[in-house]
Amino acid sequence: MNDSRRRRTAAASCLAVTGVLLAAGCGGEASGTSTTSELKGTPVKVMVWAPEDTQGSAQPGVRLTAQAYEKWINDNGGIKGGPLKVLTCNEKNEPDEAEKCAQQAVAEKVVAVVGSYSLAGDRYMPILEKAGIPYIGGTGVSAAEFSSPMSFPVNGGTPVVFAAHGKQLVDEGCKKISGVRYDVAAAAIVSKFLTLGVTAAGGAAPKDLKVPVTATDLAPQVAAATKGADCVSVILGTHSDLFVTSYVQSGADTQLGSVVGNLTPELAESTGGASSPLEGSAITGYYPPVSDASWKDFVEAAGGNKDIDTTNGANETAWVAFKVFTEAAKTLPSITSKALVDELNTTDGIDTGGLTPKLTWQESTALPMEGMGRIHNTTATELTIREGKIEWAESGSTFVDVRKLLTAKASG
């Protein structure tokens, strides 16, 4: 893959708002667990896919998280006494491969596709929709994830987190804001909802600064972003380090901020830890910080595996999606795709143990914005980088709901 293509891939991956092994073959089954054979109930088969062995938005941790959940749930009695069986597929960050993964899911007659990561939702969702297979979790980027009746997002995706990010920046005192993102059409949604969040919170529309996808020295962008601004939102995905490197070299002291997966704990550690210029950055997320007690089971299941980054948004979404699947499936007399879809569409609220508010996909809770009818959870979390780690912005913080902010602007 040439450098230009790698940059385009990285730029697209920033929209997923997640952080950056060997590839998992399409359709490859997850390894068995020691307790699976002891579970006497009917096996419950699902699939997860994500890009591996590729540049840009490679997310091997999604598969590893799914497999860790499989072992953890089977060690704890499975689902209704039967073992969870996770099939995996490497979609390679290619739309054609994502289609193949969806076709594999249909051929394998999985009950659901759970906690996957892909930017090609417009290609695989029609396949799942035709087969009646629900898609639980996901990246929260493609139009189909926001609109397909088979899509059950566990968070509000790009629209919600960027609107919430704009609000957080204003609430923390930012008056003149610059947003830095890649110069690709797909990244326009970032600017749109960041601007919406800032202006709805009473701030002035931020500058929208675009970075060429082939750029490696971002000194010009740092100069433009920090000039006349008191806060800069850095939205370059796993290549946010390029901006931070040039920022440090420039000697600027403009406050930085981002959404999860851009300004990471690793980047803070590499630039000074507690004395890093990232210390105090406003970080907007979907979920509580990993230090919160609600992540106890995930941390336990990861078991210190260095290849499972429990702070990675894609991995966290995979875990939450599997929690949702389990909670819904265990209420069903017979676990089928149709029964699962019916349960998800009518539930009064699925409890994720504090990782999200109770989740429902009833028509009455849908976000009333055109093309976004499958977004029901309109909450985000306000976080910060403190001593090199992502923590709650303030003690006692909880979920912030931006539904009114979004709908007020939509109706206005």
Side-chain angles (χ1 to χ4, degrees), residues 177-181 187-188 190-192 195 205-210:
I177 300 169
S178 297
V180 182
R181 48 101 170 178
V190 168
S191 176
K192 173 184 176 181
T195 299
K207 287 192 291 186
D208 180 28
L209 299 176
K210 304 169 186 175

Side-chain angles (χ1 to χ4, degrees), residues 60-128:
V62 169
R63 170 179 58 84
L64 295 171
T65 297
Q67 292 174 329
Y69 186 90
E70 177 196 42
K71 183 178 188 306
W72 178 82
I73 195 67
N74 288 341
D75 283 347
N76 287 277
I79 300 177
K80 299 187 68 175
L84 175 66
K85 185 176 182 181
V86 176
L87 308 185
T88 67
C89 189
N90 179 9
E91 63 94 79
K92 302 177 183 178
N93 203 34
E94 297 287 348
D96 288 347
E97 294 298 323
E99 276 195 12
K100 291 179 182 178
C101 288
Q103 291 163 351
Q104 182 76 9
V106 175
E108 293 279 1
K109 298 181 180 180
V110 301
V111 175
V113 176
V114 184
S116 295
Y117 181 104
S118 175
L119 305 180
D122 295 333
R123 295 284 291 274
Y124 59 74
M125 281 307 308
I127 297 172
L128 298 181

Side-chain angles (χ1 to χ4, degrees), residues 99-376:
E99 276 195 12
K100 291 179 182 178
C101 288
Q103 291 163 351
Q104 182 76 9
V106 175
E108 293 279 1
K109 298 181 180 180
V110 301
V111 175
V113 176
V114 184
S116 295
Y117 181 104
S118 175
L119 305 180
D122 295 333
R123 295 284 291 274
Y124 59 74
M125 281 307 308
I127 297 172
L128 298 181
E129 190 171 329
K130 183 177 180 180
I133 297 174
Y135 184 79
I136 304 172
T139 313
V141 172
S142 66
E145 287 184 85
F146 300 141
S147 59
S148 171
M150 288 296 111
S151 178
F152 295 88
V154 297
N155 60 52
T158 303
V160 167
V161 79
F162 277 98
H165 183 50
K167 178 182 183 300
Q168 182 179 358
L169 291 175
V170 173
D171 289 348
E172 293 194 6
C174 297
K175 299 183 183 304
K176 296 180 180 179
I177 300 169
S178 297
V180 182
R181 48 101 170 178
Y182 276 112
D183 187 11
V184 292
I189 191 173
V190 168
S191 176
K192 173 184 176 181
F193 285 99
L194 176 64
T195 299
L196 189 156
V198 169
T199 56
K207 287 192 291 186
D208 180 28
L209 299 176
K210 304 169 186 175
V211 176
V213 294
T214 56
T216 54
D217 179 5
L218 302 192
Q221 286 77 23
V222 168
T226 56
K227 183 178 181 180
D230 48 26
C231 296
V232 178
S233 177
V234 185
I235 312 296
L236 298 173
T238 55
H239 290 279
S240 294
D241 62 326
L242 297 176
F243 185 92
V244 173
T245 297
S246 294
Y247 172 87
V248 171
Q249 293 171 347
S250 76
D253 60 0
T254 306
Q255 184 70 27
L256 300 182
S258 190
V259 299
V260 289
N262 291 272
L263 303 181
T264 63
E266 291 77 16
L267 189 52
E269 181 65 26
S270 69
T271 54
S275 62
S276 167
L278 302 186
E279 185 74 5
S281 294
I283 306 296
T284 312
Y286 296 114
Y287 314 115
V290 74
S291 60
D292 193 274
S294 58
W295 288 111
K296 176 180 177 295
D297 290 341
F298 185 22
V299 172
E300 176 187 320
N305 184 340
K306 62 182 179 61
D307 292 322
I308 302 178
D309 179 1
T310 54
T311 71
N312 177 293
N315 299 346
E316 290 180 336
T317 294
W319 184 267
V320 173
F322 271 95
K323 289 278 288 183
V324 167
F325 170 77
T326 300
E327 290 300 308
K330 72 183 185 182
T331 69
L332 304 176
S334 178
I335 304 174
T336 66
S337 292
K338 184 180 185 306
L340 184 60
V341 168
D342 290 343
E343 173 63 20
L344 292 172
N345 277 329
T346 58
T347 179
D348 289 331
I350 289 182
D351 189 348
T352 61
L355 299 175
T356 66
K358 286 189 175 181
L359 298 178
T360 174
W361 294 269
Q362 293 183 16
E363 189 174 339
S364 61
T365 63
L367 180 65
M369 293 181 70
E370 184 177 358
M372 297 185 184
R374 296 308 291 176
I375 294 179
H376 293 255

